[in-house]
Amino acid sequence: MKAIITGITGQDGSYLAEFLLKKNYDVYGLYRRSSVDTFERINHIKDKVNLITADLTDQNSLNETIKDIGPDEIYNLAAQSFVPVSWTQPALTANVTAVGALRILEAVRHINPKIKVYQASSSEMFGKVQEIPQTEKTPFYPRSPYGVSKVFAFWIMKNYRESYNMFTTNGILFNHESPRRGLQFVTRKITNTAAKIKLGLQKELLLGNLDAKRDWGYAPDYVEAMWLMMQHKIPEDFVVATNEVHSVREFCEHAFSHLGLNYEDYVKLDKKFLRPAEVDQLIGDYGKAEKVLGWKPRVTFKELVKIMVDADLEKLKKEQ
Ligand code: NAP
Ligand code: F7E
């Protein structure tokens, strides 16, 4: 089997590449050219995957790559994925995150409509939630240009499925984290800074809304769900979540106390991290994925916090 992963240099792309290699896939990773290399997360598997430059904003690069490789499956994980940047660069976000998904579909439709496409859809589509917990049937109410872009990508996948009989599947993934999470996202920002404070490298942690609540899972668990969706006979959409909710404050509490510290002594509010519109609470019901795909999350919230804090502490100690 041949698979293309867009966004292979990202958190999920790196775990999915490892997962597919273990299943004996030929893995082709698309990455965008930059002046410094972005392979930190895949350095350990770089000689086992095929890396090709292409950009989701450039239709021709996608057409040529898909034509040359002739994949069985494409996992579209590339995106401008940071919600705050979607307000400062809304048009770029729409171009990459929304229209980028359409460009993949157009390439597949013209080259070989039998290629299966996975789309990295997001719980951010639920935004101002219309139902608790959220399921595949919950109406969307996105609250950022990122969320709106993901709603477009979701619906264009569904439309190409229904209009052209293509195999497109949307994984509606709730927040998932790991030691490979980008440093700007709140979980990694907390674990990395808490570890720095423990080692005397930093004095405080500046955060925005501590009362926001999320359904946080473990990224390696979630890439398995992506693959299972692609193996299912019928292309469908699935919520992937833990069905547990915790606040940013609770995440801080657990991370700092794992290091023998009290978060209240270090965490300060910085208004620059507040958002123009907030998604107050997300919690996903993964019942359909469990019933149809046999998938369920393995790593608990407390284990996730511990894994991330320990990894950051270890990494910083090595750097010292
Ligand atoms: P990530 O770490 O931010 O990775 C995003 C990837 O997209 C990176 O490889 C990035 O390349 C690439 N990319 C950005 N713009 C591109 C462009 N114009 N052309 C080609 N590649 C481009 O995100 P992640 O956490 O792994 O998430 C993977 C996908 O799932 C994303 O679509 C995200 O929106 C979605 N999602 C994530 C979560 C979550 O909690 N992690 C939940 C739901 C959905 P560089 O390395 O060069 O920046
Ligand atoms: O914020 C609050 C912030 O940036 C989580 C992406 O992977 O998951 C991610 O989007 C919450 C928000 O993730 C800070 O206001 C407080 O309520 O870690 P985050 P996100 O916005 O939920 C979804 C599912 C995706 O699809 C996205 O691609 O934490 N928060 N203080 C903060 N957030 C950040 N980043 N930094 C703070 O200082």
Side-chain angles (χ1 to χ4, degrees):
M1 291 287 280
K2 277 191 210 172
I4 291 181
I5 302 174
T6 73
I8 193 165
T9 56
Q11 170 188 259
D12 291 5
S14 67
Y15 286 119
L16 180 64
E18 284 172 5
F19 180 90
L20 295 178
L21 285 171
K22 280 197 194 123
K23 298 233 168 258
N24 287 323
Y25 274 64
D26 285 338
V27 175
Y28 294 80
L30 268 48
Y31 72 99
R32 54 181 173 161
R33 188 262 159 192
S34 67
S35 63
V36 285
D37 97 31
T38 51
F39 302 134
E40 194 188 335
R41 296 180 175 109
I42 52 167
N43 267 329
H44 59 297
I45 49 167
K46 237 177 109 187
D47 55 344
K48 299 193 180 94
V49 296
N50 307 282
L51 294 171
I52 296 149
T53 44
D55 197 298
L56 278 202
T57 59
D58 185 299
Q59 182 77 56
N60 200 44
S61 67
L62 299 172
N63 294 351
E64 290 304 312
T65 310
I66 293 170
K67 208 187 297 165
D68 286 353
I69 297 168
D72 301 287
E73 299 175 353
I74 299 178
Y75 294 84
N76 183 37
L77 308 189
Q80 189 307 92
S81 72
F82 191 47
V83 173
V85 165
S86 79
W87 278 288
T88 54
Q89 300 182 5
L92 173 100
T93 303
N95 195 2
V96 180
T97 307
V99 186
L102 171 61
R103 291 191 185 98
I104 295 278
L105 288 173
E106 276 295 279
V108 168
R109 183 166 80 86
H110 288 290
I111 294 161
N112 174 9
K114 292 208 158 33
I115 299 169
K116 294 180 178 182
V117 181
Y118 171 88
Q119 168 60 20
S121 287
S122 165
S123 52
E124 281 293 300
M125 301 188 302
F126 296 122
K128 190 171 174 182
V129 299
Q130 303 295 296
E131 188 179 29
I132 296 171
Q134 295 83 57
T135 72
E136 292 78 6
K137 294 198 172 109
T138 305
F140 299 142
Y141 194 138
R143 294 271 280 172
S144 64
Y146 170 80
V148 174
S149 300
K150 285 289 184 187
V151 170
F152 173 87
F154 175 95
W155 277 110
I156 203 71
M157 290 284 153
K158 214 169 153 89
N159 270 262
Y160 272 50
R161 186 194 303 160
E162 291 169 3
S163 311
Y164 301 121
N165 202 22
M166 284 165 57
F167 189 111
T168 65
T169 175
N170 283 293
I172 308 174
L173 271 53
F174 282 61
N175 298 53
H176 46 280
E177 320 292 316
S178 75
R180 294 187 200 164
R181 185 58 141 153
L183 285 164
Q184 290 177 305
F185 297 94
V186 79
T187 55
R188 184 77 199 288
K189 182 173 168 183
I190 295 168
T191 61
N192 185 55
T193 312
K196 280 188 173 167
I197 290 172
K198 178 73 182 173
L199 296 175
L201 300 170
Q202 202 160 319
K203 287 200 163 46
E204 56 185 14
L205 167 58
L206 303 177
L207 291 175
N209 180 12
L210 294 186
D211 296 317
K213 293 188 176 131
R214 290 290 183 277
D215 176 329
W216 279 297
Y218 185 47
D221 286 352
Y222 285 35
V223 298
E224 186 192 3
M226 296 176 187
W227 178 78
L228 286 169
M229 281 176 224
M230 292 285 256
Q231 313 317 309
H232 185 49
K233 273 196 209 102
I234 314 152
E236 287 182 50
D237 307 318
F238 294 91
V239 161
V240 178
T242 68
N243 210 346
E244 246 192 66
V245 72
H246 297 276
S247 64
V248 173
R249 188 186 304 282
E250 278 174 79
F251 198 105
C252 289
E253 243 173 75
H254 285 281
F256 279 81
S257 82
H258 183 58
L259 294 165
L261 303 171
N262 180 352
Y263 83 97
E264 286 170 311
D265 297 335
Y266 306 98
V267 173
K268 306 250 150 55
L269 171 72
D270 186 333
K271 286 190 177 157
K272 83 165 178 263
F273 296 113
L274 297 174
R275 299 177 178 186
E278 180 61 285
V279 170
D280 296 320
Q281 173 175 342
L282 291 171
I283 176 165
D285 176 347
Y286 64 88
K288 180 180 172 189
E290 185 171 25
K291 191 165 162 231
V292 178
L293 305 173
W295 181 88
K296 57 179 180 186
R298 293 194 184 95
V299 171
T300 65
F301 173 73
K302 278 191 186 161
E303 286 165 351
L304 172 68
V305 178
K306 189 174 171 307
I307 291 170
M308 291 179 70
V309 173
D310 287 345
D312 273 321
L313 196 61
E314 194 62 24
K315 191 165 185 270
L316 289 165
K317 278 185 186 162
K318 271 194 195 140
E319 282 166 15
Q320 272 187 324

